[in-house]
Amino acid sequence: MALFRRDSLVTRQLLRLVLLHAAWEVGSGQVRYSVPEESKHGTFVGRLAQDLGLEVAELVSRLFRMVSEGRRDYFEVNLQTGVLFVNSRIDREELCGQSPLCAIDLEVIVDKPLRVFHVEVEIKDINDNAPVFPVSKKNLFILESRFPDSRFPLEGASDADTGTNSLLTYKLSPSEHFIIDVQTNDEKSKSLVLVLKKPLDREETPVHSLSLTATDGGKPVLTGTVQLVITVLDVNDNAPVFNRSLYKVQLLENAPNRSLVIQLNATDSDEGISKDIMYSVGSVTPPSENSIFTIDSSSGELSVNGKLDFEDTNLYEIQIEATDKNPYPLAGHCTVLVQVLDVNDNAPELAVTSLSLPVPEDAPPGTVVALLSVSDRDSGDNGKVTCSISPNVPFKLVSTFKNYHSLVLAEAVDRERVSEYNIVVTARDEGAPSLSATSSILVPIADVNDNAPAFPQPLYTVFVKENNPPGAHLFTVSASDPDLKENAFVSYSVLESSVRDKPLSSYISVHSESGHIYALQPFDYEELQVLQFQVSARDAGFPSLCGNVTLQLFILDENDNAPAVSPPPSGRGSPVTELVPLSAGAGHVVGKIRAVDADSGYNAWLCYEVQEPRTAGPFRVGLYSGEISTTRALEEADGPSQTLVIVVKDHGEPAMSATATVSVSLVESPQAVKWDSRQTGGSEGPLVDMNVSLIIAICSVSSLFVLVIIVYVGLKCHPGPEVMYGSGKPTVVCSSEVGSWSYCQRQSRNLCLGEGIAKNDLMVFSPNFPQSLEHGKEKQQELPPNAPGQVSL
């Protein structure tokens, strides 16, 4: 009958292990291997690279690496063959204790692209632990009066192995008085009992020495032995009796020390000292916790004598013995099963297993930044953990496998806006109250060349006087780039174009590093009034980016051309005689001098006057018309002839002049007027006709030259700067085909992906001259010398 029960028990255990094994395989990771414990270094486990679909030749280039959660490096991969092998000794009992399933989770990571694989290696148990009894020798005292079938509990052996390797069978050395009975209670705990099958006779045999052997189910089998020394006592008829043979108690793991577990009570129907009972703890399973409980020998109060920890041991089996005080004592026994209940006393644990830093600012959403593992030693809801990260960051957590999470990029990042992120990962369990753990990950953002150099404004207006020396510094442009290192290193160049059939590079140059713009030759206002060009700022990134700015260089006129008197029809240097009839009255026009000046504005505004007014006699010259006329009626007393020296002056500073000599002869009848002219320094020429239209043309010059004249006069009032520029609204004043003025706006930021000249778009709005330009001119004249928007060079 006992053999049948043992076979049934073994069958149930094997069926349970098969079901657990099948359930474990269903929930396993991507790749699963198994290896026996205690395997030697180098033992083949599996062709990991082949099973994961990886090329062995790419393992090194793709930075193949393998990590395990909080354990030693039990396994290693040969990068030349892709074979997973045992790296160090594995003790299943040390690793997983009595757990029926024991597996090591491995995480395999490769880059280019980044992929994560999860591997489980099951550690199979081998029969490397023999059954062990708590003691090697057990003393029993049994009254000779005990009846057959009396039962005496024994403490069984324990086996650190699992499965069939831990299934124990017991065998007692041959004895005509005793047999061994093994029973399994509701808690799957085996009860080992020594059964008396034949009455004892102390006088015949006072001591029985037996050997109890425990044999496990492994191959080969291992055994453990305890020596039973049974002393037969004289009659003490009644042993103490507990009201129950098995007590079940539940305790929270945070129960304080000295907490009462249970109040035990045993009774003895004897009298005298045989009625007095003492209580003691026989044994505690597991044996390592033998001192975790204590009992008051008099009262029978069983209490905690240490700290309970559900994560270490969640079930205790305590053998209690009640012994009377007879010189030949009898004992009663009971079993107390203490179930330890879990409380939320373990905070989650966070570990960062892999980091891919820094993150390029052009990384696409979904890029894996870090791999994290989280665990909690508690069970049930106390061990369920949820993870979250700090809000308002462009990252998110993605659950990948079991307790593994990936920190991935959720949206695009910009290093120029935020250069690094301090991400706080919080793991919180579902206990009450819940516990949490945090871990900070500093994620720097790597710069890429995504910002083109930019100028403060799209257009600059620069004024420079003509006749500047070669190499004169005209202006300095400066562009900024918010990128880093070579991505922010800016070099400047002029976008080549043609000016009056000459290359722009023959007029100006720009220093590639400083942005200083220099004149390569003197400017001549009479040849070139406005020079418009573009400067490009290019960074050193790859691919490089560039931005453009437009400069309008206005040439300011200087009085460097003297008036030129037009020669007479007869040619320069011919003798000149002007005949005037004696009958001419006042206001009679004798002749007219025509002169021109290559300059413009005030520098070209001419006036005429007689060099020696006292010698002019009855003649005068129009201040601005150049007409020679009589001031009164002519008389014979005026003489037969007179010579007039006419001086032609401009309004420049300093003024330049030319002279014209006119000889006037008084005759009875009209004659043609002869004249010649002479410039300052000795050149002369004949008088020519000139009308007032010159004055009107000069006064009606374009609005741009009016602006230049006003600025020029302002500069004369504030001597010092030779070149100035005005900033402000990014507009360009452009001359239209009909001579009016319009606004032009240029867009100067371009992406330079290769060699070539950047293109700009010209937008012409109104053909009318803008009033804002006049206001800007007046405001510019009112600026102090060092005010922003006006720089003296």
Side-chain angles (χ1 to χ4, degrees):
M1 187 66 179
L3 181 59
F4 175 78
R5 287 198 300 269
R6 284 197 298 271
D7 292 341
S8 177
L9 176 62
V10 171
T11 302
R12 288 198 301 271
Q13 292 286 350
L14 290 176
L15 180 58
R16 185 178 295 108
L17 287 175
V18 170
L19 292 176
L20 289 174
H21 182 71
W24 182 78
E25 285 192 336
V26 171
S28 64
Q30 294 179 347
V31 177
R32 175 180 170 272
Y33 300 109
S34 63
V35 64
E37 66 172 328
E38 305 294 342
S39 296
K40 295 182 180 179
H41 173 76
T43 299
F44 174 86
V45 178
R47 301 187 182 278
L48 182 59
Q50 178 179 344
D51 295 339
L52 294 178
L54 300 174
E55 294 294 334
V56 175
E58 297 178 352
L59 296 183
V60 176
S61 63
R62 294 186 66 182
L63 301 180
F64 180 96
R65 55 196 183 277
M66 183 176 67
V67 295
S68 58
E69 180 185 1
R71 304 183 186 277
R72 300 200 309 266
D73 295 329
Y74 291 114
F75 300 96
E76 189 56 64
V77 175
N78 187 327
L79 297 181
Q80 306 301 320
T81 63
V83 171
L84 179 68
F85 62 90
V86 176
N87 187 44
S88 61
R89 173 182 173 270
I90 306 175
D91 188 346
R92 186 189 185 283
E93 288 70 35
E94 177 184 349
L95 193 64
C96 300
Q98 292 292 322
S99 176
L101 295 177
C102 184
I104 295 177
D105 291 334
L106 303 177
E107 185 172 312
V108 176
I109 306 169
V110 294
D111 291 336
K112 301 176 183 178
L114 179 65
R115 294 187 63 189
V116 181
F117 303 91
H118 300 281
V119 180
E120 286 188 352
V121 181
E122 179 191 5
I123 309 303
K124 292 186 176 180
D125 183 49
I126 64 173
N127 194 25
D128 59 339
N129 291 280
V132 177
F133 286 92
V135 294
S136 60
K137 182 178 180 181
K138 175 69 174 178
N139 293 312
L140 298 174
F141 299 90
I142 302 177
L143 286 172
E144 63 178 345
S145 59
R146 299 298 295 267
F147 297 103
D149 293 330
S150 295
R151 305 173 69 84
F152 306 95
L154 297 176
E155 187 173 2
S158 60
D159 195 325
D161 295 322
T162 60
T164 57
N165 294 331
S166 65
L167 296 178
L168 302 181
T169 59
Y170 295 90
K171 182 179 180 181
L172 188 66
S173 59
S175 172
E176 61 177 346
H177 294 281
F178 299 95
I179 61 172
I180 286 295
D181 184 21
V182 179
Q183 293 183 345
T184 303
N185 56 30
D186 295 338
E187 301 299 327
K188 309 298 185 298
S189 176
K190 290 184 177 181
S191 176
L192 184 64
V193 179
L194 182 67
V195 181
L196 180 64
K197 67 177 183 177
K198 181 180 179 180
L200 298 173
D201 187 354
R202 189 188 67 83
E203 287 72 24
E204 180 182 349
T205 307
V207 177
H208 296 263
S209 182
L210 303 175
S211 178
L212 178 62
T213 302
T215 304
D216 62 21
K219 292 183 180 180
V221 298
L222 298 177
T223 61
T225 304
V226 63
Q227 191 72 24
L228 300 179
V229 179
I230 302 171
T231 301
V232 181
L233 301 178
D234 204 5
V235 176
N236 178 13
D237 309 49
N238 299 287
V241 178
F242 290 93
N243 54 0
R244 294 170 60 183
S245 62
L246 179 66
Y247 296 89
K248 296 180 180 179
V249 181
Q250 290 183 336
L251 280 179
L252 294 175
E253 64 173 323
N254 61 351
N257 195 21
R258 304 301 177 184
S259 296
L260 177 64
V261 178
I262 191 173
Q263 173 72 60
L264 296 174
N265 184 43
T267 59
D268 195 318
S269 57
D270 291 327
E271 296 292 337
I273 60 173
S274 296
K275 188 179 182 65
D276 297 335
I277 297 174
M278 293 186 302
Y279 300 91
S280 63
V281 176
S283 64
V284 178
T285 303
S288 59
E289 305 292 341
N290 199 41
S291 61
I292 199 68
F293 298 98
T294 184
I295 192 169
D296 189 292
S297 60
S298 300
S299 64
E301 292 180 351
L302 182 66
S303 57
V304 178
N305 188 38
K307 186 179 184 306
L308 301 176
D309 191 349
F310 173 87
E311 287 69 41
D312 290 338
T313 307
N314 56 21
L315 182 67
Y316 294 91
E317 182 177 335
I318 309 170
Q319 301 292 336
I320 303 298
E321 186 174 71
T323 308
D324 59 29
K325 295 183 179 181
N326 189 281
Y328 301 99
L330 295 179
H333 302 84
C334 73
T335 301
V336 179
L337 289 179
V338 180
Q339 182 182 5
V340 180
L341 302 179
D342 183 44
V343 295
N344 194 24
D345 60 342
N346 290 280
E349 296 179 358
L350 273 170
V352 179
T353 59
S354 179
L355 285 173
S356 298
L357 299 177
V359 177
E361 62 178 324
D362 61 348
T367 301
V368 178
V369 177
L371 299 176
L372 303 98
S373 64
V374 60
S375 60
D376 194 315
R377 296 184 61 207
D378 294 321
S379 62
D381 290 342
N382 297 331
K384 294 179 181 179
V385 181
T386 57
C387 289
S388 62
I389 61 175
S390 49
N392 302 322
V393 293
F395 299 90
K396 64 179 179 179
L397 278 179
V398 177
S399 179
T400 56
F401 174 75
K402 287 187 177 179
N403 294 327
Y404 287 88
H405 296 78
S406 296
L407 179 66
V408 300
L409 189 64
E411 59 188 62
V413 293
D414 186 358
R415 188 206 64 82
E416 287 71 38
R417 185 171 61 89
V418 180
S419 61
E420 64 180 14
Y421 293 88
N422 187 17
I423 302 174
V424 178
V425 182
T426 302
R428 185 177 299 275
D429 60 31
E430 297 182 8
S434 65
L435 299 178
S436 63
T438 60
S439 178
S440 295
I441 302 176
L442 188 64
V443 180
I445 306 300
D447 182 52
V448 298
N449 193 25
D450 60 344
N451 290 278
F455 292 92
Q457 59 189 62
L459 181 141
Y460 290 96
T461 301
V462 182
F463 298 91
V464 59
K465 290 182 179 180
E466 65 174 334
N467 302 320
N468 56 284
H473 176 229
L474 303 179
F475 188 64
T476 298
V477 292
S478 178
S480 60
D481 193 320
D483 293 322
L484 291 177
K485 298 180 180 178
E486 65 275 2
N487 295 334
F489 181 78
V490 178
S491 60
Y492 302 92
S493 62
V494 175
L495 297 182
E496 190 59 71
S497 62
S498 178
V499 179
R500 292 182 176 270
D501 299 328
K502 293 182 180 180
L504 177 64
S505 57
S506 65
Y507 288 91
I508 54 100
S509 68
V510 61
H511 192 276
S512 61
E513 295 183 5
S514 65
H516 295 331
I517 299 175
Y518 300 97
L520 297 181
Q521 65 181 20
F523 294 113
D524 188 353
Y525 175 83
E526 286 69 40
E527 292 183 1
L528 181 66
Q529 289 81 38
V530 180
L531 179 63
Q532 180 170 303
F533 58 92
Q534 285 189 321
V535 176
S536 174
R538 184 187 299 270
D539 59 32
F542 183 80
S544 64
L545 300 177
C546 71
N548 297 337
V549 66
T550 301
L551 276 82
Q552 280 191 330
L553 187 66
F554 287 91
I555 312 302
L556 299 180
D557 183 45
E558 283 192 326
N559 195 24
D560 58 345
N561 291 282
V565 180
S566 299
S570 59
R572 177 174 298 181
S574 300
V576 177
T577 301
E578 181 65 37
L579 302 178
V580 179
L582 287 174
S583 60
H588 177 79
V589 176
V590 176
K592 188 173 185 178
I593 297 176
R594 179 174 286 116
V596 294
D597 195 314
D599 295 320
S600 65
Y602 279 92
N603 297 328
W605 188 10
L606 304 180
C607 62
Y608 305 83
E609 59 184 20
V610 179
Q611 187 176 34
E612 294 293 339
R614 291 177 298 176
T615 63
F619 301 99
R620 64 179 176 86
V621 64
L623 180 62
Y624 297 112
S625 64
E627 289 184 346
I628 302 173
S629 61
T630 59
T631 59
R632 57 180 172 78
L634 298 179
E635 300 174 356
E636 291 184 1
D638 292 328
S641 65
Q642 289 192 18
T643 300
L644 301 177
V645 178
I646 308 300
V647 178
V648 184
K649 292 183 180 181
D650 58 27
H651 284 72
E653 291 185 9
M656 302 187 74
S657 64
T659 61
T661 302
V662 179
S663 296
V664 180
S665 297
L666 301 181
V667 296
E668 292 294 335
S669 61
Q671 295 293 333
V673 178
K674 305 291 184 176
W675 65 281
D676 67 17
S677 63
R678 183 183 297 114
Q679 294 185 353
T680 302
S683 63
E684 296 182 355
L687 292 174
V688 296
D689 192 21
M690 176 178 180
N691 55 42
V692 184
S693 60
L694 178 62
I695 303 297
I696 298 174
I698 293 175
C699 295
S700 59
V701 292
S702 66
S703 299
L704 176 64
F705 291 107
V706 173
L707 173 62
V708 172
I709 293 171
I710 295 174
V711 173
Y712 180 72
V713 172
L715 290 175
K716 289 297 182 179
C717 296
H718 292 79
E722 291 295 325
V723 179
M724 70 177 182
Y725 82 96
S727 62
K729 187 176 181 180
T731 58
V732 183
V733 180
C734 306
S735 177
S736 68
E737 294 181 358
V738 298
S740 61
W741 298 93
S742 62
Y743 279 102
C744 301
Q745 186 175 11
R746 294 183 181 269
Q747 181 179 357
S748 301
R749 184 179 183 273
N750 299 288
L751 173 64
C752 295
L753 297 177
E755 297 298 330
I757 300 177
K759 297 182 179 180
N760 295 77
D761 295 328
L762 181 64
M763 301 175 62
V764 180
F765 296 97
S766 171
N768 298 324
F769 187 81
Q771 296 180 359
S772 60
L773 187 61
E774 293 293 337
H775 298 323
K777 174 184 66 179
E778 296 172 0
K779 185 179 295 184
Q780 185 179 16
Q781 291 177 350
E782 294 173 359
L783 291 174
N786 296 325
Q790 179 168 326
V791 176
S792 298
L793 304 176

